[in-house]
Amino acid sequence: MNISLLTVVVLLAVAPPSAKPQTTKSASTSNVVVDNVATVSAPTEGVSNVTVADVLAAAPAVVPTDTVRFDGDVVARVSIRSAQDLMLVNQLSDDMWSHHVGIGGDADFRMSQADLGTLDRAGIPYRVTIADLQNRIDAEQTRLAQPMEGLAWFSDFKNLAAVNARLDEMVAAFPNLVSIVNAGTSIQGRVIRGIRISRYPAGTALPAFIFTGTMHAREWASTMTTMWIADQFVENNTIDPRIAAALDSAEVYIFPVQNPDGYEYTWATGGNRLWRKNRRLISGTTYGVDLNRNWGVGWGGSGSSGTTSSDTYRGAAAFSEPETVGMRDFVIAHPNLVGHIDFHSYGQLWLWPWSYTTTASPDQTALAAVGNPMKTAIAAVNGKNYTAGPSGSTYGLTAGCIDDWTYGNQGLMSGTIEVRDTGTYGFVMPTSEIIPNAKENFAAAITMIEKLLASSPITITLAPGSLVADNTASTVEVQTVPVVSTLITNGVRLKWKLDGGTTQSAVMTSIGSNKYRASLPAISCGSQLSWFVEAETKFIITHAPLNKPTSFNITATNPCGNPADLDGSGVVDNSDLSLMLLDFGPCDVVTNCPADLDHSGEVDPGDVSLMLLEI
Ligand code: 0X9
Ligand code: ZN
């Protein structure tokens, strides 16, 4: 519930001791600040007696003077018609907001009012999308300085401490489902924290998915998106049937902030709301490597910069940064990962590999088979039509990105979602967008999971029952029609364990019509065999039964001579009964416990009853 504006006014009248006095500069712009807040701020709805202007006029300036300011700057959407246009715009602006630029396309740049005159003189078409950038940042700062107690967590953007506290709360509330994981530490020593969401103990062989955010510090909407996805998986783990089914078969890892130093810097007193890179000190006053240009697939290519001051500076080498090393090593340490989405803002785009080249990936068909339904799922939530396709040809070249690496190096289905919006607000988004944006992107995440888990559904068409004849092999036949990507060679396999021993495997032979056949070995009387079938496609191994470590169990008991003939004399008689009585008590291994006729795990009166029937 929103706190009332009257409360806000009262709270503002008693300025917190840390608030700095209003500066001349911010005072002189206060009218414009107010105009802006009326358009971007939600919590004022329905209040008529006190205006936003009143509140802000009473508010002490919360933006300290040493914070980087953008007074007079605008964001303009510029038509790039030629390489000359691009060169000129790059000279004017060192801050491209939409990092895709192709000749013949539009791109958003932050620049000064004076730069617009230069564009005019050069005849370069543009449209100002944000005329009051600093006012919006000031309004956001003012809003965030208000007390948040009693407000829902997703009612406003949250800083790193609040994100971390929320992750800890999830663990505390659902200790059997959620645990903290980490992916190393940032260059300033902050832990890159995430959560594991799983119903199963760590190390269980399950397909896993990873959702990452905030590699670019200023992209606050990506932080809220990944936190929302975490929240949904945790809070609704049994209530929402789609989430429940996903967590029955898979585990989920979420890292909401991959660039904790940069994120902190966008929130900090003395920081910069529009910071993008990490916070490596390169030299003098030059800071930062673009972590999404620092990965090892395509590193150094087009769409990355070797200039240290550039916002797309790729670093001295691939994986030169502790943040990318930490995430890389986390992914390598989890070879069960099969799907990954890296969330960024903004643009409403869903981009899958490759991003370093326009050449089609060898798995384009499979990527699109998962990617297109994700786009449809996003649109189904609020009607937002995200542009989807291979990144290089859809967005423009960007080299050294995380998703090219998780796909290209680790074989995951992966991609980047640029969440809302399309430039009306850009990085300084109103709070009213947080939840609608998060919901449509949650739909993308759950759809990716569902599509991959159903990548190659296996139907068992012939199988032994739970009791089989001893010393006789049994036949298993399955049908699988891959819907996401093709099966790898020898990808359909029958697997089994005899009496809890090591897992054995046989490639199932194709018998036409998408059917496959293999034999389970003959087993001797009293032995137990557990079996399942797996079908391996490019991104995931699917199983029958289900995508989790379960199996079918069969036992060989019948015919088996007669299991009650314990001494093998050919008749069931009193000497067999004597042997049984000697063995009374628990038994661990079925084969060592032949007197346990009913396989209850112990020799007991139930077994005596069975034997008496045979005597
Ligand atoms: O430039 C980037 O890293 C991303 N855009 S952003 O405005 N958030 O900075 C786009 C990455 C697109 N490339 C991949 N799909 N990797
Ligand atoms: Zn980004």
Side-chain angles (χ1 to χ4, degrees):
M1 216 180 75
N2 291 337
I3 51 168
S4 80
L5 270 181
L6 280 171
T7 317
V8 173
V9 171
V10 171
L11 288 165
L12 290 173
V14 188
S18 59
K20 297 197 175 174
Q22 193 163 12
T23 62
T24 316
K25 196 166 196 178
S26 48
S28 68
T29 58
S30 63
N31 287 338
V32 192
V33 171
V34 170
D35 289 348
N36 176 61
V37 167
T39 61
V40 300
S41 171
T44 60
E45 281 166 16
V47 180
S48 56
N49 56 337
V50 179
T51 66
V52 182
D54 294 336
V55 174
L56 290 171
V62 293
V63 182
T65 49
D66 53 350
T67 295
V68 178
R69 292 183 63 84
F70 304 94
D71 295 290
D73 279 5
V74 301
V75 179
R77 182 155 297 175
V78 184
S79 284
I80 307 294
R81 302 159 306 169
S82 64
Q84 284 99 313
D85 284 0
L86 183 57
M87 271 168 58
L88 180 74
V89 178
N90 273 329
Q91 276 163 17
L92 298 177
S93 172
D94 60 359
D95 187 7
M96 191 194 293
W97 276 35
S98 51
H99 276 263
H100 55 115
V101 61
I103 307 303
D106 291 346
D108 297 349
F109 294 86
R110 177 176 59 79
M111 55 180 66
S112 69
Q113 300 273 2
D115 294 332
L116 295 178
T118 310
L119 291 181
D120 286 332
R121 284 189 291 281
I124 297 177
Y126 67 88
R127 171 170 76 82
V128 172
T129 50
I130 299 177
D132 54 352
L133 178 59
Q134 184 61 50
N135 296 336
R136 295 188 185 201
I137 294 172
D138 289 343
E140 183 183 67
Q141 291 287 313
T142 304
R143 192 190 70 230
L144 288 167
Q146 309 310 315
M148 299 242 183
E149 292 94 72
L151 297 182
W153 203 84
F154 289 94
S155 67
D156 212 327
F157 297 92
K158 290 288 164 11
N159 65 15
L160 187 65
V163 165
N164 283 333
R166 180 82 173 178
L167 296 181
D168 290 334
E169 280 166 28
M170 290 179 190
V171 177
F174 296 88
N176 296 324
L177 182 72
V178 189
S179 53
I180 297 288
V181 288
N182 74 62
T185 45
S186 67
I187 199 148
Q188 293 178 341
R190 292 186 177 86
V191 175
I192 299 165
R193 293 179 102 219
I195 52 170
R196 172 180 185 265
I197 307 169
S198 177
R199 303 198 197 291
Y200 302 92
T204 306
L206 288 172
F209 294 81
I210 182 166
F211 303 114
T212 51
T214 331
M215 177 139 30
H216 291 143
R218 63 189 176 183
E219 296 169 11
W220 291 9
S222 76
T223 321
M224 300 308 284
T225 303
T226 40
M227 286 302 284
W228 178 268
I229 293 170
D231 205 72
Q232 291 298 301
F233 272 99
V234 172
E235 298 282 339
N236 296 335
N237 79 86
T238 56
I239 307 162
D240 180 323
R242 296 177 74 188
I243 294 172
L247 291 176
D248 278 349
S249 298
E251 57 185 19
V252 175
Y253 293 93
I254 298 177
F255 285 89
V257 183
Q258 298 172 91
N259 177 6
D261 299 347
Y263 192 55
E264 191 77 347
Y265 189 61
T266 62
W267 283 80
T269 298
N272 175 350
R273 173 63 182 86
L274 297 180
W275 191 256
R276 167 181 168 95
K277 302 186 285 181
N278 77 349
R279 289 295 297 162
R280 171 183 290 280
L281 173 60
I282 293 164
S283 66
T285 55
T286 305
Y287 283 86
V289 170
D290 183 352
L291 297 176
N292 212 24
R293 299 294 182 275
N294 192 238
W295 293 74
V297 167
W299 183 84
S302 290
S304 72
S305 175
T307 304
T308 54
S309 59
S310 166
D311 249 355
T312 52
Y313 174 51
R314 62 177 81 105
F319 297 114
S320 57
E321 303 311 295
E323 294 88 353
T324 49
V325 166
M327 287 305 305
R328 176 196 69 187
D329 291 349
F330 183 88
V331 172
I332 289 173
H334 295 82
N336 57 328
L337 285 167
V338 297
H340 170 220
I341 305 173
D342 192 33
F343 288 94
H344 287 249
S345 81
Y346 58 94
Q348 297 175 192
L349 299 148
W350 161 219
L351 307 164
W352 57 77
W354 298 109
S355 75
Y356 81 98
T357 173
T358 52
T359 304
S361 112
D363 301 301
Q364 165 56 21
T365 307
L367 294 164
V370 180
N372 288 329
M374 290 169 66
K375 169 194 161 77
T376 306
I378 294 171
V381 177
N382 303 305
K384 293 286 184 200
N385 197 7
Y386 283 38
T387 302
S391 192
S393 52
T394 306
Y395 179 96
L397 295 179
T398 52
C401 295
I402 184 174
D403 48 349
D404 272 5
W405 185 85
T406 52
Y407 162 72
N409 212 74
Q410 298 298 108
L412 278 64
M413 160 81 203
S414 79
T416 295
I417 295 185
E418 299 275 4
V419 303
R420 289 189 185 194
D421 63 358
T422 54
T424 306
Y425 302 109
F427 303 119
V428 188
M429 204 164 79
T431 56
S432 57
E433 294 285 296
I434 293 174
I435 291 177
N437 172 64
K439 282 185 173 169
E440 68 207 19
N441 284 293
F442 171 80
I446 189 82
T447 303
M448 174 187 262
I449 293 175
E450 289 173 347
K451 286 289 158 194
L452 283 179
L453 290 180
S455 177
S456 195
I458 301 164
T459 309
I460 310 256
T461 51
L462 178 67
S466 58
L467 289 177
V468 294
D470 64 319
N471 299 319
T472 311
S474 34
T475 303
V476 174
E477 283 178 15
V478 299
Q479 185 173 43
T480 180
V481 184
V483 288
V484 165
S485 71
T486 47
L487 291 160
I488 69 157
T489 307
N490 296 334
V492 185
R493 296 178 290 260
L494 177 61
K495 295 199 151 185
W496 68 88
K497 272 184 194 180
L498 180 62
D499 294 324
T502 52
T503 302
Q504 320 247 19
S505 179
V507 171
M508 298 187 80
T509 311
S510 171
I511 54 171
S513 311
N514 296 303
K515 285 187 157 189
Y516 299 82
R517 178 188 291 150
S519 290
L520 286 167
I523 55 176
S524 56
C525 165
S527 277
Q528 262 199 342
L529 200 77
S530 321
W531 64 275
F532 62 92
V533 174
E534 67 182 24
E536 184 170 357
T537 59
K538 163 75 190 178
F539 297 118
I540 189 169
I541 300 176
T542 51
H543 292 121
L546 294 177
N547 268 300
K548 54 183 179 175
T550 54
S551 17
F552 301 110
N553 292 307
I554 59 177
T555 312
T557 58
N558 180 38
C560 180
N562 187 328
D565 180 16
L566 293 177
D567 60 8
S569 67
V571 287
V572 179
D573 55 22
N574 282 339
S575 49
D576 298 308
L577 192 57
S578 308
L579 286 173
M580 175 174 277
L581 295 176
L582 282 175
D583 275 345
F584 249 54
C587 51
D588 291 326
V589 181
V590 176
T591 42
N592 290 339
C593 208
D596 181 19
L597 295 179
D598 59 7
H599 302 286
S600 67
E602 66 175 28
V603 181
D604 56 19
D607 302 303
V608 174
S609 308
L610 285 176
M611 179 170 275
L612 292 177
L613 287 174
E614 301 291 332
I615 279 181

